[in-house]
């Protein structure tokens, strides 16, 4: 659903030979970023970006008003248009918020290491098949909705082109075991991660926030890749959302 209106996108090409772009040498430290739901972003220096919270009250009221209007009537048509406008407003607010987050990151850091998340796989349905039905379907659907509402794919997309413009190095690393590995000694915690928010190392006894520990591991992988160690899991361009949208909502 989209409101009526006119959208104009202006594109232009700069003559690079005559006016080469001047890229300011990036200044600042390197940072690792853990993407999540409890915290939208957790940075390796301890900075936290709180999760996106969406007030659906007005949207739900508009949906109820639509359900009471007769199908095909002018009143229903007007209410549908009102709902579409509200959804569009939420979408624009979220996109602008993501722009503020990503612009701040490329201004403050010279190297950004992020997870190479496959969001299409991460948010796959748990329904299963008739022969092999899935388990915890409702819980998985709720988790999928929470992940998609954080617009992690949009954030990585914006980081990708803004880092290139600013001369900031963006490295996508393999996210495997970043939440389970101790950022101090390298020991792996085999406990079930969903049951706790604090990482406890079975080796050195480190106790710290789980997302912060993961962000430090992501930074270490990024620095290793920069220095010629293991290569990144995939180029930043491989990170996509697969065109997914939150379940039960017509807007992000």
């Amino acid at each position: 659903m989209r409101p009526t209106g006119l959208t104009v996108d202006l594109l232009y090409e700069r003559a690079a030979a005559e006016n080469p772009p001047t890229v300011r040498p990036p200044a600042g430290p390197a940072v690792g970023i853990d993407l999540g739901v409890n915290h939208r972003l957790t940075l390796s220096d301890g900075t936290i970006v709180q999760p996106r919270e969406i007030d659906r009250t007005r949207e739900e009221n508009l949906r109820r008003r639509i359900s009471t209007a007769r199908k095909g009537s002018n009143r229903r048509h007007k209410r549908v248009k009102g709902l579409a406008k509200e959804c569009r407003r939420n979408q624009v607010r979220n996109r602008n918020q993501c722009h503020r987050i990503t612009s701040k990151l490329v201004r403050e850091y010279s190297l950004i290491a992020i997870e190479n998340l496959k969001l299409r796989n991460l948010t796959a349905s748990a329904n299963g098949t008739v022969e092999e039905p899935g388990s915890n379907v409702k819980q998985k659907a709720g988790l999928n909705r929470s992940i998609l509402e954080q617009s992690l794919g949009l954030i990585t997309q914006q980081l990708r082109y803004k880092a290139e413009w600013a001369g900031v190095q963006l490295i996508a690393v393999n996210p495997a075991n970043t939440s389970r590995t101790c950022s101090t000694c390298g020991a792996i915690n085999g406990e079930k991660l969903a049951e706790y928010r604090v990482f406890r190392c079975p080796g050195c006894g480190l106790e710290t926030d789980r997302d912060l520990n993961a962000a430090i591991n992501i930074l270490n992988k990024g620095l290793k890749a920069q220095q010629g160690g293991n290569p990144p899991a995939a180029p930043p361009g491989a990170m996509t959302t697969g065109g997914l949208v939150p379940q039960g909502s017509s807007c992000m």
Side-chain angles (χ1 to χ4, degrees), residues 31-34 42-45 113-115 171 173-189 199 206 208-225:
V31 69
I33 302 177
D34 178 69
T42 302
L43 278 58
S44 55
D45 60 8
I114 56 177
E115 301 168 277
I171 299 177
V173 304
N174 190 333
N177 290 326
T178 51
S179 296
R180 297 178 179 274
T181 303
C182 176
S183 57
T184 300
C185 70
I188 295 181
N189 190 331
F199 177 87
L206 172 71
T208 186
D209 180 81
R210 193 182 86 185
D211 295 337
L212 175 60
N213 179 72
I216 296 173
N217 285 328
I218 292 166
L219 172 61
N220 291 337
K221 284 191 174 186
L223 293 174
K224 186 175 181 180

Side-chain angles (χ1 to χ4, degrees), residues 75-175:
R75 177 176 296 178
R76 184 181 180 91
H77 179 67
K78 290 180 181 179
R79 291 179 180 179
V80 168
K81 287 178 63 177
L83 174 61
K85 288 181 180 179
E86 177 64 20
C87 288
R88 177 63 177 169
R89 277 193 286 265
N90 286 335
Q91 186 183 46
V92 171
R93 290 191 194 104
N94 177 54
R95 186 179 66 234
N96 291 341
Q97 185 181 41
C98 291
H99 274 302
R100 289 192 292 270
I101 293 170
T102 53
S103 295
K104 189 172 188 293
L105 288 171
V106 298
R107 282 197 305 266
E108 296 185 356
Y109 301 99
S110 59
L111 181 147
I112 301 175
I114 56 177
E115 301 168 277
N116 182 42
L117 295 178
K118 299 293 191 295
L119 293 181
R120 182 186 292 274
N121 298 336
L122 195 62
T123 56
S125 172
N127 286 335
T129 62
V130 176
E131 294 78 12
E132 297 182 7
S135 58
N136 298 323
V137 176
K138 288 186 178 179
Q139 294 89 331
K140 183 62 168 63
L143 176 61
N144 290 352
R145 190 181 306 112
S146 298
I147 293 173
L148 293 170
E149 285 181 346
Q150 300 310 313
S151 303
L152 304 181
L154 178 60
I155 289 174
T156 55
Q157 180 188 51
Q158 291 181 0
L159 272 178
R160 193 161 61 241
Y161 68 78
K162 289 183 182 182
E164 183 178 357
W165 288 349
V168 174
Q169 188 172 8
L170 180 67
I171 299 177
V173 304
N174 190 333

